[in-house]
Amino acid sequence: GTYTAPQSVTLTITDDKDTAPKAYYTLDGTEPTASSAAYTKGAAISIKSTATLKVLVVDATGNKLYSFTNKP
């Protein structure tokens, strides 16, 4: 969405086989990689200016997911 005030985003990441999938993110619209910022479970991502949040989730077997559902 588009917001005019700073935002705090917390991700909920689940996998039916991996209890602790790893997540990486970018705020500049580029596709994240395992070298991108690592997401810490339960932590908020602070967005204070124009940004495009993209997330990569990797499970224990190496499966990658680049999309997710945004739930308010």
Side-chain angles (χ1 to χ4, degrees):
T2 302
Y3 304 92
T4 57
Q7 298 296 304
S8 180
V9 179
T10 303
L11 305 176
T12 301
I13 301 166
T14 59
D15 185 276
D16 60 348
K17 295 180 180 157
D18 183 354
T19 59
K22 295 181 178 164
Y24 307 92
Y25 68 93
T26 61
L27 295 174
D28 62 3
T30 59
E31 293 299 330
T33 67
S35 298
S36 300
Y39 179 71
T40 302
K41 183 179 179 180
I45 300 170
S46 180
I47 302 174
K48 296 180 181 173
S49 60
T50 301
T52 300
L53 173 62
K54 290 199 173 189
V55 178
L56 164 65
V57 178
V58 182
D59 68 15
T61 59
N63 294 314
K64 296 178 181 179
L65 174 67
Y66 286 95
S67 62
F68 61 95
T69 302
N70 178 21
K71 294 183 181 180

